[in-house]
Amino acid sequence: MYTLQQSLLALCHLLSEPENHIPIVQQGMIATLAALSSHDNDLLMDLCALSFLNFSCTEESRKHVVGAGAVVAIISLSRHKSLVTQRRCAAALCNVTSYEAGMQRMVGDGIIPALVNLVVSEDVETVRYACAAICRMCSTVENGKLILESGAIPNIVCGAKEGDLQTMITCCSVLSSLSFYESCRIKLCEFGIISALKSLSELND
């Protein structure tokens, strides 16, 4: 296990250089990482999460992460008890949601329920990344409806009312994006959006 951990650590270092991403992708490392992420070893899982995060930092490699079905592996890693691992997975998921052509694939892979779970993380940065990703997922009315049905809105409303400034701003973006769709507006009011908007209106950001 030590050798495997050291190998993954080396990969993380190599992936910190964006120029290395595509050559590494071409050697099949995304599929290898997805397979390794199922190991029941805390350090190994965290290194896999960091590797996926590094992969997600460039536009071209995001396409390969999504296309290879590796979002499923990131989602699985995001359930780990480690807050650091959760944060890295949330950041990776946030990055890959910028790949609009892969939205339908990511929805099918289960990204919305995963982001909903991350919204209730104890780690503030994880919550911000998850909310930012959810905001991007609101790009279609179909996704907006899925997000409404997912149970995320009460937690996002709470974050908009009681979070720190950056969390409140991020949660506000989600609520604003959802309110764009006529079919979502009644449900948003039922979930208490007005009290959140009242709190947000008092901000001087």
Side-chain angles (χ1 to χ4, degrees):
M1 188 64 72
Y2 174 80
T3 301
L4 182 54
Q5 290 172 348
Q6 291 302 304
S7 298
L8 274 175
L9 182 59
L11 178 64
C12 291
H13 290 157
L14 294 173
L15 287 170
S16 66
E17 298 294 335
E19 293 80 5
N20 288 335
H21 286 196
I22 297 307
I24 292 173
V25 166
Q26 291 170 343
Q27 295 181 63
M29 273 313 296
I30 291 179
T32 300
L33 272 177
L36 289 174
S37 67
S38 63
H39 278 254
D40 187 18
N41 178 277
D42 292 347
L43 179 56
L44 197 66
M45 294 171 77
D46 189 53
L47 289 171
C48 285
L50 180 56
S51 296
F52 279 127
L53 172 56
N54 287 343
F55 261 130
S56 74
C57 289
T58 61
E59 182 177 355
E60 189 62 29
S61 54
R62 283 174 208 144
K63 298 177 184 179
H64 292 282
V65 170
V66 175
V71 168
V72 173
I74 301 172
I75 289 170
S76 180
L77 287 167
S78 74
R79 302 187 188 106
H80 194 271
K81 61 186 178 182
S82 165
L83 295 182
V84 174
T85 302
Q86 289 178 23
R87 185 187 312 142
R88 287 171 172 168
C89 290
L93 292 173
C94 182
N95 288 340
V96 297
T97 55
S98 67
Y99 176 42
E100 292 186 8
M103 283 288 185
Q104 188 172 355
R105 172 69 184 266
M106 287 184 274
V107 170
D109 287 339
I111 193 170
I112 290 177
L115 293 172
V116 171
N117 288 336
L118 290 168
V119 164
V120 297
S121 171
E122 296 175 12
D123 181 70
V124 174
E125 288 186 47
T126 296
V127 174
R128 291 175 189 160
Y129 284 127
C131 285
I134 289 173
C135 191
R136 285 177 175 161
M137 295 301 296
C138 292
S139 58
T140 68
V141 65
E142 291 81 9
N143 286 352
K145 289 178 180 178
L146 288 174
I147 291 163
L148 276 177
E149 294 166 1
S150 69
I153 304 306
N155 291 313
I156 292 172
V157 167
C158 183
K161 293 166 59 178
E162 302 173 7
D164 58 49
L165 178 60
Q166 192 57 50
T167 301
M168 293 175 76
I169 292 170
T170 308
C171 290
C172 179
S173 296
V174 176
L175 298 174
S176 177
S177 296
L178 286 171
S179 70
F180 180 80
Y181 302 116
E182 185 177 353
S183 58
C184 295
R185 292 170 189 163
I186 292 175
K187 279 289 185 183
L188 285 171
C189 283
E190 290 176 356
F191 284 129
I193 188 176
I194 300 303
S195 60
L197 296 178
K198 184 177 178 181
S199 296
L200 291 165
S201 68
E202 297 170 358
L203 288 179
N204 185 20
D205 59 331

